[in-house]
Amino acid sequence: MRELPPYLRLLSLTQLAFNIGFYAVLPYLAEHLGTGLGMAGWLVGLVLGLRTFSQQGLFVVGGALTDRYGPRPVVLAGCALRIAGFGWLALAGSTASVLCAVLLVGFAAALFSPAVESETAREAVAHETRTGQPRAQVLAVFSAAGQAGAFLGPLLGSLLLLTGSGFTAACLAGVVVFVGVLAGHARLMPKRAPVPRAEGAGRAAGARAVFGNRAFLALCLAYSGYLIAYNQLYLALPAEVARATGSQAAVGWLFALSSLLVVLAQIPVSRASARRLAPRTALLAGLAVVGCGFLAVPVVPAGPGGLLPGGVLIVLLTLGQMLLVPAARGLVPDLVDSRHLGLATGALSSVSGLAVLGGSAATGALLGAPAPVLWTVLAAVPFAGAALAMTLPRGGSPAESRVPRAAAAPPVTRDRTTPAAPPVAEAGRPRQPHRSRWTRRPRPPRRPRE
């Protein structure tokens, strides 16, 4: 992270802090609603579903607002709403107040995340242009920071719960984290003007440009294949662990293994991938590795404790994630106009979230099927995403990404007969023409004979 410019470091640290505050609260919300407030199981599921919809489903709104007003006000508004939402959730005692607080928490992320992600993608492309460092490496640092926050956040929440402080203290800890994020961004985040729109182009034109882009929609569907597969960590993996061990107690350890792998290996894997693979190839490889993880579950021996199939799935799915997520995010600026980058970043999550909603219902109906059938069908989803990814443009080649674009231009040579370009005058004084040994000095006029 030290090799990145200060602004990209700020964005990566923002993702770290954001996930620490978020995951210090979220894993314990269902327990608090069911045990602490006495809600019925269906109502707990409804509350959690509304939180997911208000976040993933409204990412497109946050992206459109980022394009319209620039990232800074959207990020600050998201932080302020998250502070209000966690403070309200800490004090909420009725169903209505809990619903309102949870919706506020989700909408805050729908503002914050697309703004930060689109700004990171924009800056990663600019950094690649200036230095030649592949954008996938920058986006890998961003992903690793987010996973580190997802790993540290539950530890912070568990520590507060073990000390007897309860769910309210976890919410207030999240408030403190987001107050710090808000103060840091208010001071350090530059005021960047929104990308100017073409004359006569309104919001409807931007939506048509994004959702009418076939290549971008193909990327959304390919990415949906990954998210549907990743969502099986909450559906198929717990069922497999319970079948193998008799309980779901080991699921938390497998989740911790996934986060730890990303924290330790994301940057090295992305660095090697960016040097050797084009973005489309990395996306294809990642989806294929995820599919192989599902195919391995019914054929891998149970191993010690019966957890080896689940462990192999976690390792391969996480490796595929480390390959494909930076590649997918790095392809977005190549597929859409920079004026619509925020909308496209939000749409990538919203379209994928809708696909996960339908795909999870379909795969959930298969949990009672025989193991070979279940895991083969689940493997077909990322493989179908890989087939869609083959229709995408290749993206920047590894060879091109290693060379700064300014240095990649061929040198301009000039022969003796080619006239030099006229000099450009500097502000305040005229610039004298450059004289070389090929420049003929003008002869002074001859004096007339007397």
Side-chain angles (χ1 to χ4, degrees):
M1 186 179 291
R2 292 180 180 179
E3 61 188 15
L4 297 180
Y7 189 31
L8 280 171
R9 289 203 300 267
L10 171 67
L11 293 172
S12 298
L13 292 174
T14 295
Q15 186 72 354
L16 170 67
F18 189 86
N19 279 1
I20 288 176
F22 181 69
Y23 286 101
V25 177
L26 183 66
Y28 313 104
L29 178 59
E31 176 69 18
H32 170 70
L33 297 179
T35 304
L37 301 182
M39 288 186 178
W42 68 268
L43 188 54
V44 173
L46 176 63
V47 170
L48 296 179
L50 286 174
R51 185 211 66 80
T52 302
F53 172 76
S54 64
Q55 178 173 330
Q56 293 290 129
L58 298 180
F59 262 42
V60 65
V61 176
L65 291 174
T66 301
D67 289 338
R68 178 68 180 85
Y69 300 105
R72 189 175 189 271
V74 179
V75 168
L76 297 181
C79 290
L81 290 180
R82 180 55 64 86
I83 292 168
F86 275 164
W88 195 352
L89 190 59
L91 304 175
S94 65
T95 300
S97 59
V98 166
L99 281 174
C100 291
V102 164
L103 288 174
L104 197 59
V105 167
F107 184 60
L111 293 178
F112 181 95
S113 294
V116 173
E117 290 176 7
S118 62
E119 187 69 358
T120 303
R122 193 188 309 276
E123 290 297 315
V125 172
H127 184 66
E128 180 185 55
T129 303
R130 290 191 304 267
T131 67
Q133 182 180 11
R135 70 187 73 169
Q137 292 186 19
V138 177
L139 296 173
V141 173
F142 184 80
S143 296
Q147 286 294 328
F151 180 71
L152 296 174
L155 297 181
L156 174 61
S158 298
L159 180 62
L160 293 172
L161 293 176
L162 289 175
T163 58
S165 302
F167 182 77
T168 300
C171 289
L172 295 179
V175 168
V176 171
V177 170
F178 284 102
V179 166
V181 174
L182 176 61
H185 280 74
R187 180 174 178 80
L188 299 175
M189 194 170 193
K191 295 180 181 179
R192 185 179 62 78
V195 179
R197 292 183 293 181
E199 185 177 354
R203 280 169 283 187
R208 286 194 299 270
V210 171
F211 293 105
N213 186 328
R214 294 184 179 181
F216 175 72
L217 292 180
L219 175 63
C220 290
L221 293 177
Y223 195 70
S224 299
Y226 153 69
L227 285 183
I228 292 173
Y230 186 83
N231 201 53
Q232 301 313 308
L233 294 181
Y234 308 100
L235 288 175
L237 179 65
E240 169 63 22
V241 172
R243 183 199 64 78
T245 66
S247 73
Q248 297 185 6
V251 172
W253 293 104
L254 293 176
F255 276 29
L257 173 63
S258 175
S259 296
L260 191 60
L261 283 174
V262 174
V263 172
L264 296 178
Q266 175 70 78
I267 295 176
V269 168
S270 295
R271 183 181 293 118
S273 169
R275 290 174 179 172
R276 295 172 175 83
L277 302 176
R280 183 187 65 182
T281 308
L283 180 60
L284 278 166
L287 288 166
V289 170
V290 171
C292 291
F294 286 109
L295 289 179
V297 173
V299 299
V300 170
L307 291 177
L308 188 57
V312 170
L313 173 62
I314 282 288
V315 170
L316 291 180
L317 193 149
T318 305
L319 176 59
Q321 171 190 344
M322 289 188 284
L323 285 170
L324 71 91
V325 170
R329 290 178 177 172
L331 278 170
V332 174
D334 290 338
L335 299 179
V336 300
D337 193 293
S338 62
R339 294 171 296 177
H340 312 307
L341 184 57
L343 177 61
T345 302
L348 180 65
S349 296
S350 293
V351 171
S352 303
L354 291 174
V356 168
L357 185 62
S360 297
T363 55
L366 291 172
L367 291 181
V373 175
L374 169 65
W375 296 108
T376 302
V377 171
L378 291 179
V381 175
F383 283 136
L388 276 171
M390 294 179 67
T391 66
L392 297 173
R394 174 183 172 85
S397 67
E400 292 173 349
S401 65
R402 285 197 295 268
V403 180
R405 297 186 183 182
V412 178
T413 58
R414 202 183 305 277
D415 58 21
R416 302 186 184 187
T417 61
T418 305
V424 179
E426 297 178 0
R429 60 176 182 177
R431 183 175 176 180
Q432 299 299 323
H434 172 71
R435 297 187 183 276
S436 69
R437 61 194 183 103
W438 306 114
T439 305
R440 298 183 62 182
R441 296 180 179 270
R443 295 180 178 180
R446 295 182 179 179
R447 296 178 61 184
R449 295 182 181 180
E450 298 180 358

